[in-house]
Amino acid sequence: SALDGDDAVYIGVFHTRSARGQYANFLFQFAFNEASGVWRIERVSQKLDLLEAPVRPASGVTTPMTFLSGMTAIPDGVLLAYGSSNREARVQVVPWAVFFGYFD
């Protein structure tokens, strides 16, 4: 498998939305399998713990939410860029150990 060092592993993000309008953000690791010619999801993280801003009246948002929109690797970890309740843009610095711990 790619996680054993055979291939490059990439990281992406996806979101889910509950029937009550609550979003959850997850990471996934994926790799290309040369033998089958197919991209394969290797692992999915637990829900990311991002800070939700309170809902502002007349904002169009009915429940606090976060929506991850960017990731950038830095020497000490990863910067997670996200919007919070349609009112704030945020960046969270996540050390490498914590970042990869999301996959435990």
Side-chain angles (χ1 to χ4, degrees):
S1 94
L3 294 176
D4 296 327
D6 296 342
D7 300 303
V9 176
Y10 301 90
I11 297 176
V13 61
F14 71 92
H15 319 276
T16 62
R17 184 172 179 261
S18 73
R20 295 190 338 235
Q22 296 174 308
Y23 283 86
N25 300 274
F26 299 87
L27 302 170
F28 64 98
Q29 293 179 332
F30 62 103
F32 187 72
N33 182 288
E34 292 285 340
S36 65
V38 174
W39 287 91
R40 177 180 67 230
I41 294 176
E42 299 284 336
R43 295 194 299 178
V44 174
S45 74
Q46 60 188 290
K47 179 184 169 201
L48 300 180
D49 185 26
L50 303 173
L51 185 61
E52 295 176 334
V55 172
R56 179 181 291 157
S59 69
V61 175
T62 58
T63 185
M65 61 163 288
T66 60
F67 195 89
L68 182 64
S69 57
M71 293 184 292
T72 301
I74 59 173
D76 295 332
V78 177
L79 299 176
L80 300 179
Y82 64 99
S84 187
S85 299
N86 273 8
R87 67 181 281 188
E88 297 177 353
R90 296 177 181 241
V91 174
Q92 182 174 331
V93 179
V94 180
W96 286 115
V98 174
F99 183 79
F100 286 109
Y102 284 132
F103 293 96
D104 290 340

